[in-house]
Amino acid sequence: MNDELISVIVPIYNVEKYLDVCLESIINQTYSNLEIILVDDGSTDNSLYICNEYAQKDKRIKVIHKKNGGLSSARNVGIDVAKGKYIGFVDGDDYIHKELYRRLVDACQRYRVAISICHAVVFQDGKEPIQTSGYIKNDYVTDDMKLIFSNTLNMSQSVCNKLFLRELFSNLIFPEGRVVEDGYILYDLLYKAKKVAYVAIGGYYYRRRPDSIMSRKFRKQDADFVYCAMRTYCRTKKLYPELWEAAVGRAIHGGFELVVAKIRNLSRWEWAKYYFEFVKMSNALKFLEADLLKSTIVKEETKKMVCLFIKNPLEFLRQLKHDETTFQNEKSNRQLMYDSLVEMWQEKDDKRLFDYLIDNGMQKIAIYGMGTMGELLYQKLKNTDIKIECFVDRFAGNYVQGFEDIPVIYPQRILDMVTATVMIVTPIHVFEDIIDDLHTKGYTGTIISLKTVIEQM
């Protein structure tokens, strides 16, 4: 297999605090045939100085300094000068697994595809990432575009956890002036590729910073979260109508909720300043209102808030400001809940988990949820005498290859579980909802929250 050149494009803007970790992770890749293009986008800190220092130490590094133009502009400049057969992207405040590019390029060549994808591991600045493979439980390749779109709706929209054949960018550029630049171009790249390889590694580490775009108060350009999500919704529904619900979920959770989290702290003057932007967003969201009301994956409380926003943005903003319980940043609260649970888990010996399950007659279990916590539970039990009969997940269709030798089933198939009489639920934030759903579907076995297990073990 040829060691084809990979051009790694790193846009950099005022990330001196994180840049050493980022660059070290790239230059120490086990795949060494790299062209490392550092695009300094007008940094005002020591980022450019750090880039030049690394360029003196590693001849693979090329430094480009340009006037500040934003992330898309920096990436486009990097693409213009790239010489590699493949292109990868790393943001200057993130870092990557040492095997990332070897695994991704191997998948591209082995499966003869133009795009390979791994799991992006999100972690809070100041904490260590939890290594999982996310939705990708085994390496596989597919040319089923409906499955590819479905996977993408439920996974990271970033280009950074992917490797691309450079030819894909021949007529495509990142849209400049946009906040959600990846979301605008990603589906076009996938559609051009026609076939995609998925690699079971948590290879890209995305740092969530308190001063990032995702964390700051609302600005006019942040409406782009809604516009891009709606563009994805409309395009997906047109191409693959049966994916309408997943597209609605992406539009709400990856668009509307992100914007609402930003506008909750606006002053009255700021509301007035951005009011017409809110009206434009509400007009855009009207296109999914009918599907939203039919959706089973969006909470009723959220549906009410979206419909109020569509009907009367001003009244929505008033309620949001004066009633703190009306809408909460569920994603943020959920992250805090899971972080505290993981910290509690790490303080306990793994043998206590095994002993707890055995002592309570839980030798044969099913794990509900294929996310980070579900995978962690599996990793801790896979080499023990606890038998894991299956995983249960409402996105079971994304795991067409299963997970190792364990089947992944939809909740609707819960009665197909013949021998597992205990269900450990890992999405702890919706535990009560899952209990109600499983009982409705006829499941009569023991249902226990992972939170309860960890607290009592």
Side-chain angles (χ1 to χ4, degrees):
M1 187 173 292
N2 295 326
D3 280 349
E4 298 285 0
L5 180 66
I6 298 175
S7 295
V8 183
I9 299 171
V10 188
I12 295 165
Y13 180 71
N14 289 353
V15 287
E16 61 179 359
K17 178 180 176 181
Y18 311 104
L19 198 47
D20 283 323
V21 172
C22 173
L23 298 182
E24 289 290 335
S25 73
I26 300 172
I27 64 178
N28 290 315
Q29 288 286 291
T30 57
Y31 189 91
S32 61
N33 193 19
L34 305 176
E35 174 191 41
I36 305 169
I37 304 172
L38 309 183
V39 185
D40 177 64
D41 191 38
S43 294
T44 57
D45 63 0
N46 290 318
S47 294
L48 179 58
Y49 174 78
I50 296 171
C51 291
N52 289 333
E53 275 196 324
Y54 272 90
Q56 291 178 3
K57 295 185 292 185
D58 194 320
K59 64 181 181 180
R60 298 174 299 172
I61 294 177
K62 173 186 293 185
V63 180
I64 300 173
H65 178 66
K66 62 180 286 293
K67 182 180 179 181
N68 180 255
L71 182 60
S72 288
S73 172
R75 285 177 176 168
N76 289 335
V77 167
I79 292 170
D80 285 343
V81 302
K83 295 182 173 63
K85 180 174 181 179
Y86 299 98
I87 289 180
F89 300 93
V90 180
D91 287 345
D93 52 351
D94 300 333
Y95 67 101
I96 58 178
H97 190 284
K98 64 180 181 180
E99 290 284 338
L100 174 66
Y101 285 121
R102 180 166 295 282
R103 292 287 299 274
L104 290 180
V105 76
D106 174 69
C108 281
Q109 295 179 344
R110 175 161 37 107
Y111 296 122
R112 297 182 181 179
V113 297
I115 298 178
S116 56
I117 300 174
C118 75
H119 175 53
V121 180
V122 180
F123 71 102
Q124 298 288 340
D125 189 20
K127 296 186 178 182
E128 291 297 315
I130 300 172
Q131 177 62 266
T132 73
S133 59
Y135 279 92
I136 309 166
K137 302 305 180 184
N138 295 293
D139 291 7
Y140 69 98
V141 64
T142 181
D143 60 0
D144 181 346
M145 289 304 299
K146 186 176 80 170
L147 176 62
I148 292 170
F149 267 58
S150 176
N151 286 347
T152 308
L153 290 168
N154 292 300
M155 292 171 62
S156 169
Q157 306 287 291
S158 173
V159 296
C160 293
N161 62 324
K162 302 167 178 69
L163 186 67
F164 302 91
L165 192 67
R166 182 162 61 99
E167 295 171 4
L168 291 176
F169 291 93
S170 58
N171 296 307
L172 284 174
I173 61 172
F174 287 94
E176 299 186 17
R178 297 287 188 177
V179 174
V180 200
E181 57 283 313
D182 294 11
Y184 279 99
I185 194 173
L186 179 58
Y187 291 88
D188 294 327
L189 292 165
L190 293 169
Y191 204 76
K192 286 182 71 174
K194 301 301 182 187
K195 187 164 67 169
V196 172
Y198 294 91
V199 181
I201 180 177
Y204 189 88
Y205 302 112
Y206 173 80
R207 188 188 308 272
R208 183 175 283 131
R209 295 161 48 193
D211 59 343
S212 68
I213 291 174
M214 302 299 292
S215 305
R216 72 190 183 201
K217 284 206 311 185
F218 182 84
R219 300 178 186 177
K220 183 177 179 179
Q221 59 266 41
D222 292 330
D224 204 37
F225 285 106
V226 167
Y227 302 146
C228 181
M230 286 303 301
R231 180 178 184 268
T232 297
Y233 162 77
C234 293
R235 184 176 186 187
T236 301
K237 188 175 180 182
K238 180 179 179 180
L239 292 173
Y240 307 106
E242 57 270 49
L243 296 180
W244 68 268
E245 191 164 24
V248 166
R250 166 58 63 175
I252 300 304
H253 302 312
F256 175 78
E257 288 187 343
L258 295 180
V259 169
V260 171
K262 292 172 173 293
I263 66 177
R264 292 179 74 239
N265 296 320
L266 293 181
S267 67
R268 290 178 180 272
W269 181 85
E270 288 170 325
W271 290 357
K273 177 182 176 182
Y274 296 124
Y275 178 71
F276 288 107
E277 202 62 53
F278 300 148
V279 171
K280 287 193 288 184
M281 285 191 286
S282 73
N283 288 334
L285 287 163
K286 287 178 183 177
F287 289 97
L288 60 63
E289 186 174 12
D291 281 344
L292 172 67
L293 294 174
K294 295 186 298 182
S295 173
T296 61
I297 65 175
V298 178
K299 285 189 172 183
E300 292 301 317
E301 180 74 11
T302 304
K303 289 181 184 179
K304 292 177 183 177
M305 295 303 294
V306 177
C307 290
L308 178 59
F309 185 81
I310 292 172
K311 181 180 179 181
N312 190 336
L314 183 58
E315 180 60 27
F316 170 86
L317 292 168
R318 285 173 177 160
Q319 288 194 23
L320 196 64
K321 185 67 177 178
H322 292 99
D323 185 356
E324 289 298 320
T325 64
T326 302
F327 184 94
Q328 297 184 9
N329 187 352
E330 181 183 332
K331 191 172 182 181
S332 176
N333 291 340
R334 184 188 314 171
Q335 188 65 48
L336 290 173
M337 184 189 305
Y338 278 88
D339 284 346
S340 62
L341 190 64
V342 169
E343 289 177 7
M344 185 190 307
W345 202 351
Q346 290 172 339
E347 293 173 355
K348 298 185 178 184
D349 188 285
D350 287 349
K351 187 175 184 301
R352 293 172 65 177
L353 172 63
F354 173 77
D355 290 343
Y356 173 83
L357 296 178
I358 292 295
D359 292 345
N360 287 275
M362 302 182 188
Q363 291 91 343
K364 294 182 179 181
I365 68 170
I367 298 177
Y368 193 113
M370 288 289 286
T372 298
M373 302 301 282
E375 186 171 340
L376 279 175
L377 180 60
Y378 168 78
Q379 295 297 338
K380 290 178 181 294
L381 295 177
K382 69 176 183 178
N383 294 321
T384 71
D385 292 334
I386 301 294
K387 181 171 178 56
I388 301 171
E389 295 287 309
C390 68
F391 288 95
V392 181
D393 197 282
R394 59 197 177 102
F395 297 114
N398 291 340
Y399 310 105
V400 293
Q401 304 298 310
F403 183 35
E404 298 188 0
D405 59 345
I406 299 176
V408 183
I409 67 173
Y410 285 102
Q412 292 88 331
R413 290 184 51 209
I414 201 72
L415 297 184
D416 292 348
M417 294 165 43
V418 178
T419 59
T421 56
V422 177
M423 176 83 68
I424 299 180
V425 176
T426 62
I428 57 176
H429 63 291
V430 288
F431 177 61
E432 297 299 329
D433 293 340
I434 290 173
I435 286 181
D436 292 342
D437 184 59
L438 292 177
H439 285 163
T440 299
K441 291 178 170 57
Y443 182 70
T444 57
T446 300
I447 307 172
I448 186 169
S449 169
L450 178 62
K451 182 175 185 291
T452 301
V453 172
I454 293 173
E455 289 174 343
Q456 297 184 1
M457 62 184 261

